[in-house]
Amino acid sequence: MLSNASLNMNNSVTKGLSKPNQKTQHEAATPRKDKLKRRDFLKTSLVAGAAGLVEGSYPVNLHAAPAAAPEVAKGVTRSVAEFAINTRFEDIPGNVNDFAKKSILDGIGLALFGSTQDTAEIISRYMAGMDCVKAGSTVIGSSTRFPQRFAAFANGVAIHVGDYDDTQLATAKDRVYGLLTHPTVPVLPAVLALAEKKNTSGKDFLAAYQVGVEVECKIAEAIAPRHYQDGFHSTGTCGVFGGVVAASRMRGFDVKQTIRAMGIAGSQASGLRENFGSMMKPFHAGHAAEVGVFSTELAALGWTATETILEAPRGFFHAYGGSFDLPTMQRMGNPWTFADPGVSIKPYPCGSLTHPAMDEVAKLIRQYDLHPADIEMVEVGTNKQNLNALIHHHPQDALQAKFSMEFCVAILLLERKAGLREFTDEVVNRPDVQAMISKVKFGVDPVAESSGYDKMTSIIKIKLKDGRTVGGSADFAKGSPANPMSNQEVADKFFDCCSVAHWPLPKAKAIVQSVYSLERMADVSSLTALCRK
């Protein structure tokens, strides 16, 4: 049953769904006994047998029983740096590069769309006041150039502002599927900013991007689930490490310099989910890309930092998560995240946890030829982690609507589509949209909850005014590895972004051709040139 005290949600009571209040939800996500363990965490540990990587013992499992006092783990940060610097392009499987090129094209298209948003105009005004925009790297979708770190920031914000960029998928049962990182956005802008001035080949570009994404994703997979549950935005926090190792590779750093740059980046890892539904969410992503570039700039000048930023008792994993999973960190590139579990490319410009429900609603609309006048009420039941992220139940603008299951379902029922043109302030505030939102009841369904967090089970029941009830369920959405987008489907999404941005079609077609043949490109500056006015 829906609780009247639940997170400012709808007041109506809907059979079969429950909405825990804030206290119950938080306690369900983080039991008190685990809170007590974390408080005394540095006094306890597990023995981790990580030959060649770790000396001594340290905690790797948030839920494990206390053991002996920990010793500092050795070598995790170094192993990440060695992977990032020593991996050759030839070491990356061909199918992994094929997946990557789809995400790169997707990211560029989203940056073109993002260049038309208010965030881009605000960043341009901010940079104009700094009087440092006469030279630098490409700001996608404009004729402007910024210094490398600020170009990375601007392009990162632009990629993420639509909340339409790719998403990392979890494999462990206690990690929430779809709630790890947006892997491309902290990495691609950093690589683009540095590649433009270095006559970088497509192979070198791809290799830097690949190791950055892999490092970011494995760190996000490894850190204890409470990192996200308690409020950190992992694209901003874990993303800085993807950005910095990719930038280190682009600068030709050795392992020691990369370790130092990682230490600098770690102290800048940031992002709080309370800011979801505002301009700060894309800020987190842009900041992660900027940190990657900025940290390597400082490291190149001799700025010092710890050599154990990831694994130390006062380092990233313990401070930000309380613990981490060591075996995950030992699987860097084996398998590559792009291959297993894969990366999802979004079919809708909103939070990925809405997508299975949206796909199922769209299917029911087509199957039963549903129209707005037919709808009495809609139930959407998911696991409780969805409610932990989809926090806007009565959205008042487009950014809030991206984290509103109620809006995402309502707009499909009204328009039979939910693309970039539907996620605007004007559409969100239309009277018919607000009226339909009030008919959507979103809460926890016990069946969905029992299905586990390694999928996004969404159960739909649509009550019609003629007395019928139609429904269905879905675990995954289009664009996920279970139902992937083809190269052409990703290109179609790219062209739609270009259309919204009024980007010339010949340039758009040339970008698609360039990205899908990146490994044959002698100098990627020809690609960045296509992204400028």
Side-chain angles (χ1 to χ4, degrees):
M1 301 292 290
L2 295 180
S3 168
N4 291 336
S6 60
L7 298 176
N8 192 30
M9 298 174 185
N10 294 313
N11 292 325
S12 300
V13 176
T14 304
K15 185 176 180 180
L17 301 182
S18 64
K19 292 183 178 179
N21 61 31
Q22 291 178 349
K23 180 178 179 181
T24 302
Q25 181 181 358
H26 184 76
E27 288 176 348
T30 311
R32 180 172 175 77
K33 64 180 181 179
D34 288 334
K35 293 183 186 177
L36 294 174
K37 286 180 187 178
R38 289 203 304 271
R39 189 155 52 225
D40 296 326
F41 197 80
L42 294 181
K43 300 178 183 177
T44 62
S45 72
L46 292 177
V47 176
L53 180 63
V54 176
E55 298 175 6
S57 62
Y58 71 110
V60 295
N61 185 341
L62 182 64
H63 306 293
E71 299 177 20
V72 176
K74 306 277 184 161
V76 177
T77 302
R78 174 170 286 276
S79 71
V80 170
E82 289 173 347
F83 167 80
I85 298 307
N86 296 334
T87 298
R88 303 172 303 162
F89 176 81
E90 291 74 21
D91 297 329
I92 304 169
N95 68 321
V96 172
N97 281 320
D98 290 340
F99 294 137
K101 286 186 282 188
K102 289 198 285 188
S103 281
I104 290 169
L105 179 63
D106 191 52
I108 293 173
L110 295 169
L112 288 167
F113 162 75
S115 71
T116 68
Q117 301 302 291
D118 290 345
T119 46
E121 191 271 333
I122 292 172
I123 292 169
S124 292
R125 283 195 281 125
Y126 172 78
M127 291 300 299
M130 298 180 69
D131 194 29
C132 61
V133 298
K134 296 180 176 64
S137 296
T138 295
V139 177
I140 294 174
S142 75
S143 58
T144 305
R145 292 178 182 268
F146 290 165
Q148 290 173 332
R149 63 177 287 190
F150 294 116
F153 172 73
N155 289 330
V157 171
I159 289 172
H160 196 53
V161 71
D163 221 288
Y164 206 5
D165 47 323
D166 59 0
T167 53
Q168 177 192 358
L169 309 176
T171 56
K173 290 285 186 181
D174 60 348
R175 271 66 172 168
V176 182
Y177 190 94
L179 282 188
L180 290 179
T181 71
H182 294 269
T184 290
V185 65
V187 178
L188 178 60
V191 176
L192 282 169
L194 294 171
E196 193 168 4
K197 301 296 183 182
K198 291 176 61 69
N199 298 319
T200 303
S201 72
K203 286 184 178 180
D204 288 343
F205 180 95
L206 272 170
Y209 168 82
Q210 288 277 24
V211 299
V213 167
E214 181 67 5
V215 164
E216 170 196 359
C217 288
K218 287 298 194 287
I219 289 173
E221 182 80 38
I223 196 166
R226 74 98 161 159
H227 175 74
Y228 189 91
Q229 290 168 353
D230 283 1
F232 283 112
H233 182 199
S234 45
T235 298
T237 54
C238 303
V240 298
F241 294 105
V244 76
V245 300
S248 295
R249 178 150 183 149
M250 290 299 302
R251 291 190 187 277
F253 277 9
D254 60 22
V255 170
K256 185 175 181 179
Q257 289 172 304
T258 303
I259 291 171
R260 186 188 308 138
M262 290 174 66
I264 297 168
S267 279
Q268 301 173 79
S270 62
L272 295 172
R273 291 196 297 110
E274 182 61 25
N275 267 313
F276 279 19
S278 76
M279 291 182 180
M280 283 308 299
K281 186 172 191 284
F283 177 98
H284 300 160
H287 179 254
E290 178 191 0
V291 164
V293 175
F294 178 48
S295 298
T296 57
E297 291 173 346
L298 289 179
L301 295 171
W303 200 276
T304 63
T306 180
E307 295 184 356
T308 56
I309 192 63
L310 290 175
E311 69 270 25
R314 292 171 296 275
F316 178 78
F317 279 131
H318 295 299
Y320 282 67
S323 180
F324 71 104
D325 182 61
L326 176 62
T328 295
M329 296 305 297
Q330 295 172 311
R331 293 195 296 269
M332 202 76 62
N334 185 29
W336 290 81
T337 299
F338 267 119
D340 184 13
V343 169
S344 180
I345 294 180
K346 286 189 173 185
Y348 307 106
C350 50
S352 60
L353 292 179
T354 65
H355 293 180
M358 293 175 75
D359 268 6
E360 190 61 25
V361 168
K363 175 184 171 183
L364 292 169
I365 290 170
R366 294 191 300 269
Q367 181 177 352
Y368 295 101
D369 191 27
L370 301 180
H371 296 275
D374 301 329
I375 308 302
E376 180 73 26
M377 186 182 71
V378 182
E379 284 186 16
V380 182
T382 65
N383 67 56
K384 65 176 177 283
Q385 298 299 342
N386 287 33
L387 276 80
N388 195 22
L390 303 174
I391 60 177
H392 293 287
H393 307 288
H394 301 280
Q396 302 300 307
D397 59 43
L399 289 173
Q400 291 181 358
K402 292 176 182 296
F403 299 92
S404 171
M405 179 70 84
E406 292 85 348
F407 172 83
C408 291
V409 170
I411 198 64
L412 282 171
L413 291 167
L414 289 165
E415 302 290 346
R416 298 194 171 203
K417 57 185 177 179
L420 292 169
R421 294 164 183 83
E422 283 67 54
F423 282 83
T424 67
D425 292 354
E426 293 76 16
V427 171
V428 171
N429 287 294
R430 276 174 19 199
D432 62 328
V433 173
Q434 291 292 318
M436 186 63 78
I437 285 173
S438 69
K439 297 182 179 183
V440 180
K441 315 304 175 187
F442 172 40
V444 174
D445 186 290
V447 174
E449 178 69 17
S450 66
S451 296
Y453 301 147
D454 57 337
K455 57 180 69 72
M456 296 184 281
T457 302
S458 301
I459 299 172
I460 310 298
K461 297 176 184 177
I462 302 177
K463 183 178 179 180
L464 304 177
K465 290 181 178 178
D466 63 9
R468 291 181 298 155
T469 297
V470 299
S473 66
D475 293 332
F476 307 105
K478 180 67 177 177
S480 70
N483 187 14
M485 289 188 186
S486 66
N487 282 6
Q488 186 57 55
E489 286 172 323
V490 175
D492 290 342
K493 177 182 171 182
F494 171 81
F495 286 130
D496 186 54
C497 291
C498 290
S499 174
V500 174
H502 304 292
W503 201 247
L505 185 59
K507 275 190 173 183
K509 289 181 177 179
I511 291 171
V512 173
Q513 183 177 5
S514 296
V515 171
Y516 281 153
S517 59
L518 257 175
E519 68 272 30
R520 299 193 295 274
M521 189 174 291
D523 184 353
V524 296
S525 63
S526 60
L527 171 61
T528 56
L530 293 168
C531 300
R532 292 195 302 271
K533 286 185 177 177

